[in-house]
Amino acid sequence: MDNTNNFILQEVINDLVDSKTSLISPLMKLNYFGRLIKNQELIDFTSKEIKGYSSRDDFPEYRMASQRLIANVRGFMIEQDMEVPISMLEEPFDIGLQKMYVFDGIETIEKMAKEMLEDRSKNEIYRPIPMEMLPPIQTVIEKIVRTNSKIYIQHAKTVSNSHIFLEIQSHIRTKLLELVMEIGEKFGYNILIESFKLNSLENNQIINNIMNTTINNSGDGNILNTGDNNNISNSSKIIKNDVESLKTELRKYDIEEQDIIEIAEIVQEENLDENNNLGEKSRNWILKILDKSMQGIGKISTAVSANLLATAIKGYYGIEF
């Protein structure tokens, strides 16, 4: 930035299009811009993304991910982990455990994403369930487990896909770029602050309207899907056991042909597990594609997400969502 007399949007754009630049930089610059023009909505949004969210009030849906409930049970001559249907829990647990909320600031999210990419064993996030929540889970277990002996729950945890840390970054980077480009088209890419303030009320309302159509309009509310503002949808037309239909779907995302051939070979030799989860090779392939997307390698669509790729691959196995 030159000084308090003008704000250069191009510097923010340069940060956003460089996938190696931390999101803290464009967020801080836009927070500074919000303070210069006294736009509280822009200040609040950037501050929360920088420092993290303190509550679920006005919590953005792109920071939520679906999660599963796993309980460790023990009985006569048996001890094992089992998945418990969250929908069978009594209120408010049936709703409260459906989603994982990522409250952390952007630097922590970037750190978690980096650790996940460096260590493939960190593909999932585990969060322990407090002891006081075990009794209602025990009730559900007694309904779904048929045995002559008593089974007791020892402990439980929720499990979420750690790809959400990549997805949050991708969402914020894409939406911020859209926001800044819209502001630039309206006010120019070198905004004169004093000139802006001459009609501050109207100009800030214009920026708020732009934010409502870019930042706040997050699509279908599932960060592991693509949202309704992108060109890619989750309604794939993949035929069970048809490799060519899978390849056709993946080509829509601009994934490189050699990577498409690789996953085509993987799905023909690797099966889903008993819980319809993807095998290790398929999961590693998804990680590789997301890593390429984050680094700007190739022409992979920015709308590509972990869930989108997993849905496409599971479509080959005949699993519909």
Side-chain angles (χ1 to χ4, degrees), residues 45 49 53 56-66 99-102 164 167-168 171-172 215-225 227-228:
F45 168 73
E49 291 297 338
Y53 290 75
R56 294 185 181 183
D57 296 335
D58 298 322
F59 195 86
E61 293 178 332
Y62 58 79
R63 279 174 165 263
M64 303 178 195
S66 299
K99 298 288 185 180
M100 179 189 73
Y101 294 75
V102 181
I164 189 175
E167 295 294 335
I168 292 173
H171 182 101
I172 294 175
I215 299 297
N216 299 330
N217 186 7
S218 57
D220 62 10
N222 188 344
I223 187 61
L224 295 183
N225 291 326
D228 60 13

Side-chain angles (χ1 to χ4, degrees), residues 27-39:
L27 283 168
M28 287 293 290
K29 289 174 181 176
L30 287 174
N31 185 275
Y32 171 65
F33 176 53
R35 296 177 189 279
L36 286 178
I37 63 175
K38 300 187 185 304
N39 186 302

Side-chain angles (χ1 to χ4, degrees), residues 22-84:
S22 169
L23 281 169
I24 194 69
S25 178
L27 283 168
M28 287 293 290
K29 289 174 181 176
L30 287 174
N31 185 275
Y32 171 65
F33 176 53
R35 296 177 189 279
L36 286 178
I37 63 175
K38 300 187 185 304
N39 186 302
Q40 194 59 47
E41 189 167 332
L42 182 58
I43 295 171
D44 289 343
F45 168 73
T46 51
S47 294
K48 288 177 181 178
E49 291 297 338
I50 292 168
K51 297 185 294 184
Y53 290 75
S54 58
S55 71
R56 294 185 181 183
D57 296 335
D58 298 322
F59 195 86
E61 293 178 332
Y62 58 79
R63 279 174 165 263
M64 303 178 195
S66 299
Q67 58 184 9
R68 297 179 293 124
L69 176 61
I70 306 296
N72 178 265
V73 297
R74 186 174 184 179
F76 180 70
M77 301 289 291
I78 184 175
E79 182 174 356
Q80 67 180 48
D81 288 338
M82 63 175 295
E83 184 167 348
V84 180

Side-chain angles (χ1 to χ4, degrees), residues 56 67-72 82 84 86 89 93 96-99 125-138 153-160:
R56 294 185 181 183
Q67 58 184 9
R68 297 179 293 124
L69 176 61
I70 306 296
N72 178 265
M82 63 175 295
V84 180
I86 294 176
L89 293 173
F93 307 116
L97 290 178
Q98 285 182 1
K99 298 288 185 180
I125 309 164
Y126 301 94
R127 294 187 173 182
I129 297 295
M131 292 294 292
E132 59 268 23
M133 290 178 59
L134 296 185
I137 300 176
Q138 173 76 41
I153 181 172
Q154 304 297 301
H155 50 81
K157 61 187 177 185
T158 56
V159 182
S160 301

